[in-house]
Amino acid sequence: NIGTMAFDKTGTLTQGVFAVEAVHPETLEEKELLHLAAHVEHFSTHPIAEALRTAFPQEATDGCAMTDVEELAGYGIRACVNGHLVCVGNTKMMDKVGAKWRNCHRVGTIIHVAVDGCYAGHIVISDCLKDDSVGAVAALKRLGIGRLVMLTGDRREAELLPADKVACVEQLLAEKPSGKSVAFVGDGINDAPVLKLADVGIAMGGLGSDAAIEAADVVLMDDKPTKIATAVRIARRTIGIARQNVAFAIGVKVAILLLATVGLGTMWMAVFADVGVTVLAVFNAMRALKG
């Protein structure tokens, strides 16, 4: 009965494999901007941090002193590198430290860098759509799911904190029509509260975090978004068969009871209403195994 489905982006609709696409410095050289960003992201396990470290692999051996590393959820990371406060994150991070950031015309995740409160530039990091993401969205629309929403913290237009995602899903739940439900699809540890809140939580099982998998109602073991539509079809088919069995069983029993009240019922009719109906219902239910 899903009427609205919300998606996390990274690792759900995209592959979650990032690479540095462009470097746009303001006050530093490109190499120095990458150098500082890679240092600050050195201890982070986020895929974006891995992309920065890959783009500047020398950061582990260049002898720079780094202290006071602090990760701010939904903003970014800051640390002291050689005595300078370096902040790496989104536009909210830049606003927090008073750096006048610049927007970027490129499509991708924009990582802004500030040094001692002054804007130093930004780095564009790209992520590729999964091969079947477009097909998955089309399949869900064909199934009649009319409202598809993407909740992301990567782009300036959104930059949702984990708590913001919860608020968005709460709003979707409040707006849903009667008889319809809201589903959320995610894979990260930050998605766990939203997966639990939604009527139906769907987690990516291959690369998803343990917290997301534990909180979800449905787990896609191969991380393919097209399997969401498959799960919906299986659910609808299963519920349809169950309703057929209920209607058939009750209908036959009521019919034989009515015949018995007027003296037309026989023992063999009673046997059929009991054992026969059960056998036929089992055979009908086995059709669900065909997918």
Side-chain angles (χ1 to χ4, degrees):
N1 297 321
I2 294 172
T4 302
M5 185 170 289
F7 296 86
D8 173 48
K9 180 174 75 68
T10 304
T12 302
L13 295 176
T14 66
Q15 295 176 6
V17 179
F18 293 88
V20 172
E21 182 178 297
V23 180
H24 297 158
E26 290 285 329
T27 59
L28 301 173
E29 296 293 330
E30 286 189 13
K31 184 176 180 180
E32 183 65 15
L33 188 65
L34 268 177
H35 169 210
L36 291 175
H39 259 296
V40 174
E41 298 278 3
H42 179 77
F43 296 104
S44 175
T45 59
H46 195 281
I48 289 178
E50 179 64 29
L52 290 171
R53 292 194 296 269
T54 301
F56 195 87
Q58 303 97 312
E59 56 91 15
T61 58
D62 60 8
C64 288
M66 186 172 66
T67 59
D68 301 327
V69 181
E70 183 181 7
E71 184 165 0
L72 305 176
Y75 290 85
I77 301 179
R78 62 187 178 192
C80 285
V81 181
N82 290 340
H84 296 282
L85 179 61
V86 181
C87 298
V88 180
N90 55 24
T91 57
K92 292 179 180 179
M93 170 70 92
M94 297 299 103
D95 292 337
K96 188 178 183 68
V97 299
K100 296 181 179 180
W101 52 272
R102 296 181 186 274
N103 198 11
C104 185
H105 65 280
R106 285 182 175 266
V107 176
T109 300
I110 312 300
I111 305 299
H112 299 274
V113 181
V115 180
D116 294 330
C118 296
Y119 190 60
H122 57 262
I123 301 167
V124 183
I125 297 179
S126 62
D127 187 12
C128 298
L129 276 177
K130 290 182 178 178
D131 294 337
D132 61 342
S133 289
V134 174
V137 171
L140 291 170
K141 287 183 176 180
R142 287 195 298 270
L143 287 173
I145 300 176
R147 190 177 186 186
L148 301 175
V149 182
M150 185 174 72
L151 305 178
T152 177
D154 292 341
R155 291 293 293 166
R156 180 178 62 86
E157 294 82 356
E159 287 189 349
L160 298 176
L161 299 173
D164 295 331
K165 289 185 179 181
V166 171
C168 286
V169 171
E170 286 177 341
Q171 182 178 351
L172 293 175
L173 289 168
E175 295 172 352
K176 69 178 181 180
S178 177
K180 292 293 184 179
S181 59
V182 175
F184 177 79
V185 189
D187 72 317
I189 190 170
N190 290 335
D191 295 327
V194 196
L195 289 166
K196 198 71 174 177
L197 175 65
D199 294 320
V200 181
I202 304 173
M204 297 293 174
L207 296 176
S209 69
D210 291 341
I213 292 171
E214 180 68 24
D217 303 296
V218 179
V219 180
L220 306 181
M221 299 310 297
D222 58 6
D223 286 351
K224 291 183 178 179
T226 48
K227 292 298 179 67
I228 301 171
T230 301
V232 173
R233 284 194 295 268
I234 290 173
R236 290 181 179 179
R237 180 177 173 83
T238 304
I239 292 296
I241 291 174
R243 287 173 175 166
Q244 290 170 12
N245 284 343
V246 169
F248 174 68
I250 293 177
V252 170
K253 291 177 185 293
V254 169
I256 292 176
L257 281 173
L258 292 175
L259 290 173
T261 59
V262 295
L264 297 178
T266 66
M267 178 62 69
W268 288 111
M269 287 183 181
V271 171
F272 175 76
D274 185 16
V275 180
V277 166
T278 300
V279 172
L280 291 176
V282 169
F283 280 128
N284 189 41
M286 289 174 65
R287 294 192 300 118
L289 296 175
K290 296 180 181 180

